Amino acid sequence: MRASPTWRLLLVLAAAPLACSSSSSPPSIAFTTGTTLATGPVLLEVAVRNSSADPTWALAGPGSLSGSSGHSAVFTPPPSGHAGETATVTASVPGASASLQIQIGTPALAAVTIPTLGAAVQVLYDDRDVPHVRCAEAADCFRVQGYLQARDRLFSMDFYRRVARGRLAELVGPLGLDQDVQLRTLFTTRDGQRLEDALVQALDAPTAALLGAYVEGVNAYLAHLRATPAEMPGEYAQLPFPLGPADIPDWTLADVEALGRLQQFQLSQTLFEESDYGTFAQVYGPGAPLADPGKMNTWIRAAPAASPPTFTVVQNAAIRPGASPAAPRALAAWGPSLQAVHARAASLRQALLPLSGTFGSNNWVVDAAHSASGHAMVANDPHLDLPYPPNFHLAALTSSDPADNLDLNGGSFPGIPGALVGRGKNVGWGVTVVGYDVTDLYLEQALPACPGGVPANTAFCVLWKGAPAPVLAYPQAFLVRTATGLQNAVALGLLAAQASLVAVVPHHGPIIQAPDAGGHAVSVRWTGHEGWTQDLKAFLGLDTAASVDAAMAALNDYGTGAQNFVLADDQGNIAYYPHALVPIRPFADARVTAPASLIPPWFPLPGDGSAEWGNDPACNGPAAPRTCFLADAELPQSRNPAWGYLATANADPVGVSADNNPLAHPPYLSFDWDDSTGFRHARIVARLKALTAGGTASLADMESIQSDHVSTIGQAFTAAIASPAFDSAAAASPDFAAARAMLQGWGASARPFDCPTGLDGTDPALSPPRADAVDQANSAACYLFHAFLRTLLRDVFSDDLAVAGLSVGPVQAVKGMLHMLDPAAPPGDQSFCNDVDPGGSVARSRTCGDQVVAALVSAFDTLAASKGPPASWLWGRVHTFTAASLFPTVTVGYQAGPFARPGGAFTVDVGNPGLSAAGTSFAFTSSGNVRHISVMDPASPIVRMQLPGPERDGPFGVIAGPDLVGEWARNQYFDYATSGQIAAAAVASQTFSP
């Protein structure tokens, strides 16, 4: 690992000799050593004349002295927060005194040269090691940000850019080759270009200049590293074939675009979900061997589990009532192909977990009129995996050029400039994944032969609109790291020549499953294949927007990886604007297609031309024009609603899923969004509604909502279990009665359905139980509930899904189970509750009530046998997280966990444990990567944040190991200094010069 820098500089000054005393002269005292500026401990000495008394010392102001008497003392300035202030040190003997005023300075780190800088740049570091960059123009701020990100996070930047460009094998060897082939395929445009290259070509000049400045900064650090190889990050030495600085290629614009598109891919594509639905339907759907309409209606549901909010945020087009949820077309012939696609999608999703936008993000804004401070507020906790180092790198960028309007505080993914989460000078924002349906799988029918006249690079032809259409092949060069350097994968025999070709259906997209013996292939179309979108330009515009309206205008350039942007400005306005490209799908639009002919887009689509995007042939071309996607006015949006707040949590923001029939509410936006349960969204809205109905919300309220641990899913299941339908089971089973009473008591407690750890501390093994009876009872009930829910979902769904070769998905299972427990649900929808054998036949007939009773008794008895009485069922012992490193031995000395955490499945402060796992551990691996709250006061802005890990890829940074991950585990915020506050808060400074 690189040596950690130290910021303390001890100034040792030579002592002057003491003069002899003279009884005939009055005593005097004078400083002989000292300084008027202290950036670290300073030795102070005095000379005394005409007195034999020892001097005494006094201090007025910040800092401390090493002693109170003697001819010398050491003044130590405070560690942070007092830069620019003055301390007065006074030395005295009887009859005389002398004072020295010392200004508190900021320790200076070694200066850095970036040749392309236009002017010198100052960086101040706060006590959380966050760099605050001050520049004369925006481009210089981005140059320095590039340098700092590379210095702090080079390995993760390098690792993920290679992932994004399908070149991981060049870093890790043959182990990365399969993933490279998959991502190189997925990131090919419909005309065969590398996606990142197309995006670079589409950049406008101002955006290209700012991104280019950032690239120059990264490369300045790479040049420094090549000159000082001892600073090479330790992860490179742990690779199968260790690398040196010369093996790290320079950064490029294509790297920036590739990283951005990889993140957008993770936040928007639905390969796994649509192949899951298709695989399920080819077993249980219409015409399938085990056709079961009840299973289809239970497993593939649009309706949320929680009651939707009582308001919408957009006026939708006229609803055409009476349409029924559409059924999928025949899928059986493509069954094996879909299973193969699903298996690879699952593998890729697992490999990309650190960047996975799994459900759990929250954000909301409150306008000035409903804020206790009189200023709008924004809160956000975007949900991703919890790696070490964390996904986000925090930085502040401030340009002195008023035209730039750059005064930015926030975080970005290393490798991407600016801030993806945070606030600018005038606008703060939060992001969560929307979950628009922007991906379609196409079932292609390959033909035995192609007609004459097709392009030379034709791989095969498919049937499209009644005629053969060529599928074009584009060769790719895959290199693999070996002990002797980079070598071609085909030449090494690691990859067949045919497998190195990416085949593309020009009117759909890349082939992700080659034709089988019957010609059944699968292609994918994704809005991210459009190489003309300006997503990074949109974020740079958001970073510098002067108002909510300007921010919305900037976001019109955002096309891929749709985000629920909530916005608040320093004029008191708020808005919601989840802008992105959403395909026009005439085949799924009840305004233009008869209900009986609708084709549901959440299943794989026929590739024969009957389910195409857009309204004109241009939409089938290499680059679909903007008119192939829904108009901005048809997307959800809101500005300054009368109720005073806007909130999202990955759920349906407009309520079109409430009747389980999204096609009846055109235009079609999505089937199940990103978290279609609705639990977190409903809880946030309920709390904001309670606060603002005749009152206001404070900063403390925002923090309280962000740390809310109430289990609304526990409330929903407890309501079902408490119904009279289970009274006879309670009478027959003492254990069921006892467990049922615990859950009912949970709801009747002073803090209903809260999920505390039950511990006085965050160490899951050593922390003692908290001496709070309500906490203890709630902790035990929360533990029991999660053990019950895991058992129930596994027992009810795993056997039926295993027949289709699928696993239990928590969102689908929770929604399906609550649907089956609803007395209003059709009786035929409860067939999941039967036990089935591997062939799908009913092995044991059971009701859903039987399953609930058995699961609750099993959970209760298991906890009693393993943990003892309920007083010992401490949720924090098992509900834990550990920040995981790709290369754990690099992080020796860094405490990454485990940490006990409150909350649980679908709580606002999210900590979703595996609900389909076995065993008694309820550890979770993903949560809010940054917790951010801003009060948009133009005069005295407040920014509070949490980060689950250090800024730098190592145990220590500028200061000695800020315990950011521990603070995150305790839900403890730090004040993120703004440009007007950093001078006083800085603990170190650094100069970057041309």
Side-chain angles (χ1 to χ4, degrees), residues 465-493:
K465 295 189 175 181
V471 175
L472 305 180
Y474 299 94
Q476 306 287 317
F478 290 93
L479 301 180
V480 177
R481 178 72 57 179
T482 69
T484 57
L486 293 176
Q487 296 192 44
N488 188 282
V490 174
L492 289 175

Side-chain angles (χ1 to χ4, degrees), residues 747-803:
S749 77
R751 294 184 285 276
F753 296 106
D754 191 30
C755 269
T757 65
L759 302 176
D760 192 11
T762 59
D763 188 311
L766 301 179
S767 297
R770 182 170 294 170
D772 182 314
V774 175
D775 251 28
Q776 291 297 304
N778 283 351
S779 176
C782 179
Y783 193 170
L784 171 64
F785 167 72
H786 282 86
F788 152 74
L789 183 62
R790 174 183 284 182
T791 303
L792 178 67
L793 299 184
R794 188 172 62 244
D795 288 353
V796 169
F797 293 103
S798 60
D799 53 345
D800 305 82
L801 292 169
V803 175

Side-chain angles (χ1 to χ4, degrees), residues 284-692:
Y284 295 112
L290 299 174
D292 187 332
K295 281 189 174 65
M296 290 289 291
N297 192 39
T298 296
W299 189 248
I300 302 176
R301 296 188 59 75
S307 299
T310 56
F311 64 87
T312 60
V313 294
V314 67
Q315 294 296 319
N316 284 279
I319 293 175
R320 180 175 179 172
S324 301
R329 299 291 181 90
L331 301 171
W334 277 268
S337 296
L338 287 174
Q339 289 173 352
V341 168
H342 189 263
R344 283 198 300 275
S347 176
L348 184 62
R349 185 167 74 164
Q350 183 65 31
L352 298 180
L353 268 182
L355 296 179
S356 175
T358 51
F359 62 86
S361 302
N362 309 294
N363 64 12
W364 60 92
V365 283
V366 177
D367 67 18
H370 294 81
S371 168
S373 68
H375 303 286
M377 298 185 290
V378 58
N380 188 204
D381 51 296
H383 179 268
L384 294 164
D385 208 52
L386 293 169
Y388 171 85
N391 281 311
F392 281 93
H393 182 268
L394 304 183
L397 310 177
T398 304
S399 168
S400 60
D401 186 344
D404 292 333
N405 204 46
L406 179 66
D407 191 1
L408 185 64
N409 299 269
S412 184
F413 295 113
I416 299 176
L420 304 179
V421 172
R423 61 161 292 166
K425 181 178 181 180
N426 306 109
V427 177
W429 67 92
V431 293
T432 69
V433 175
V434 181
Y436 291 142
D437 186 350
V438 296
T439 310
D440 279 324
L441 298 181
Y442 282 95
L443 306 179
E444 309 284 0
Q445 179 61 62
L447 301 175
C450 290
V454 297
N457 63 326
T458 298
F460 56 93
C461 288
V462 294
L463 184 65
W464 187 59
K465 295 189 175 181
V471 175
L472 305 180
Y474 299 94
Q476 306 287 317
F478 290 93
L479 301 180
V480 177
R481 178 72 57 179
T482 69
T484 57
L486 293 176
Q487 296 192 44
N488 188 282
V490 174
L492 289 175
L494 297 172
L495 189 66
Q498 185 66 24
S500 69
L501 300 174
V502 172
V504 179
V505 180
H507 49 274
H508 290 154
I511 290 285
I512 56 174
Q513 179 61 33
D516 62 12
H520 304 108
V522 182
S523 67
V524 61
R525 186 165 190 183
W526 168 51
T527 55
H529 287 140
E530 305 305 325
W532 48 266
T533 63
Q534 301 286 333
D535 309 273
L536 293 178
K537 176 184 177 182
F539 261 112
L540 294 176
L542 177 62
D543 289 347
T544 57
S547 66
V548 154
D549 292 337
M552 295 172 75
L555 290 173
N556 281 327
D557 284 318
Y558 195 77
T560 306
Q563 296 290 292
N564 284 305
F565 288 98
V566 292
L567 309 163
D569 66 25
D570 57 5
Q571 295 101 62
N573 302 299
I574 62 172
Y576 168 61
Y577 198 48
H579 188 277
L581 300 182
V582 180
I584 294 173
R585 293 181 172 97
F587 58 90
D589 193 326
R591 295 171 297 185
V592 297
T593 300
S597 300
L598 292 173
I599 303 175
W602 51 92
F603 293 108
L605 298 173
D608 59 9
S610 61
E612 301 302 308
W613 291 6
N615 294 315
D616 61 75
C619 297
N620 302 316
R626 182 69 182 83
T627 54
C628 297
F629 305 96
L630 293 178
D632 297 345
E634 293 187 284
L635 299 176
Q637 53 197 277
S638 183
R639 188 182 185 281
N640 288 336
W643 50 85
Y645 58 87
L646 293 162
T648 79
N650 312 123
D652 176 358
V654 288
V656 295
S657 302
D659 63 357
N660 199 40
N661 189 10
L663 295 189
H665 308 269
Y668 169 73
L669 298 172
S670 184
F671 176 70
D672 54 5
W673 305 92
D674 191 58
D675 174 11
S676 55
T677 66
F679 287 120
R680 288 176 295 110
H681 188 203
R683 175 64 181 170
I684 294 167
V685 168
R687 290 206 57 183
L688 289 171
K689 185 176 181 179
L691 289 165
T692 57

Side-chain angles (χ1 to χ4, degrees), residues 111-132:
V112 173
T113 298
I114 300 178
T116 55
L117 283 174
V121 174
Q122 183 188 42
V123 178
L124 299 176
Y125 296 89
D126 64 23
D127 61 356
R128 294 304 188 276
D129 208 12
V130 176
H132 297 249

